[in-house]
Amino acid sequence: MISGPRAIVLFATLLVLATAAAFGLSRLYATPRTLDLTPPPEYVAAPVPVTADLPAATPVSGQLVDQDWLERTARRTGIPTPALRAYADAQISRVGGCDIGWTTLAGIGWVESHHGTIDGRSLTVDGRSEPPIIGVALDGVGPVAAIRATPESTAWHGDPTWEHAVGPMQFLRSSWEPWAADGDRDGVMDPHDLDDAAATAARYLCASGHDLDSGTTWASAIHSYNHAQEYVDAVHAAATAYAQRAAR
């Protein structure tokens, strides 16, 4: 087991400082379309819970993050321990090949599925949502795009007509396959396993080849995950809140 609580908290603190400094710029982040991603005044991030009585966790096989840090930070942030383990291990392992903080992955995990607990689901000790998470049909109705299912993706979600994102980090099969990673090193790559999904998200976000340690590269990466300003704002708000609470 690798013990790295101080390094992780330091990175979380640096993320807060870097993103706070970036918000002082008139042109906050550069993307291919040069968007102004400053959160609008009326924007209010979804609340991030703080749970004081999370049960203690037993280290799992292959875990990289220090157990004391894991339990302490889970209590401070309210992130379920299996989810926090997945995010922290993805950072420590550098599975994506770039510097990406656990807070960034936690911000995405919160926005996508409340760390696998959305709609009253429970998260098992090995990082699986019960029941599994299947996203809405991407049928072109309302704000969603129209994406036809393939035989391969139908095997994931059961819909022969329309595509669905699956798992706690909400991957389409087409975006999963190029970046899939075995986050818990059990020999299986499964989008419903948060250890694998967090590691795969890290690989996807690092695909540009840049470290996510500046406002420009960070926002471009998050924007590639979901092409919406509101999404980048929400992930930024959650990631920053988690970094602040972890550093208390």
Side-chain angles (χ1 to χ4, degrees):
M1 180 183 296
I2 298 174
S3 298
R6 287 178 298 194
I8 291 179
V9 172
L10 174 60
F11 187 89
T13 304
L14 289 175
L15 174 63
V16 175
L17 295 176
T19 51
F23 267 83
L25 302 178
S26 58
R27 194 178 115 188
L28 181 58
Y29 304 126
T31 71
R33 294 193 292 127
T34 312
L35 299 177
D36 175 13
L37 297 178
T38 305
E42 69 276 9
Y43 176 75
V44 178
V48 180
V50 177
T51 304
D53 56 354
L54 289 174
T58 301
V60 299
S61 176
Q63 177 178 311
L64 301 178
V65 66
D66 177 76
Q67 184 67 18
D68 289 340
W69 179 91
L70 181 62
E71 294 182 11
R72 181 173 65 253
T73 305
R75 287 192 295 270
R76 289 175 174 175
T77 60
I79 299 173
T81 305
L84 183 59
R85 179 194 69 233
Y87 307 141
D89 276 5
Q91 175 184 330
I92 293 171
S93 69
R94 286 183 57 89
V95 62
C98 76
D99 286 335
I100 181 170
W102 66 266
T103 51
T104 294
L105 297 170
I108 292 173
W110 166 258
V111 174
E112 293 289 358
S113 70
H114 293 190
H115 312 301
T117 66
I118 196 166
D119 294 333
R121 288 173 171 82
S122 59
L123 191 65
T124 65
V125 68
D126 59 352
R128 291 178 167 277
S129 298
E130 294 293 347
I133 300 173
I134 305 294
V136 299
L138 300 182
D139 55 7
V141 177
V144 302
I147 304 177
R148 291 282 180 176
T150 66
E152 293 76 18
S153 64
T154 296
W156 265 23
H157 50 65
D159 186 341
T161 305
W162 300 110
E163 187 64 279
H164 297 248
V166 306
M169 301 297 270
Q170 286 291 278
F171 274 99
L172 299 175
R173 182 149 190 165
S174 58
S175 56
W176 171 267
E177 289 182 341
W179 314 113
D182 183 8
D184 51 9
R185 296 162 294 282
D186 65 354
V188 178
M189 293 179 287
D190 184 351
H192 291 288
D193 182 340
L194 190 47
D195 294 289
D196 295 348
T200 301
R203 290 194 67 200
Y204 182 95
L205 293 167
C206 291
S208 67
H210 298 292
D211 288 339
L212 307 187
D213 56 0
S214 74
T216 299
T217 54
W218 188 91
S220 294
I222 303 304
H223 191 264
S224 74
Y225 207 91
N226 188 315
H227 303 299
Q229 174 176 333
E230 292 80 4
Y231 184 83
V232 178
D233 297 342
V235 172
H236 176 272
T240 301
Y242 286 137
Q244 291 170 333
R245 291 174 181 184
R248 286 186 308 198

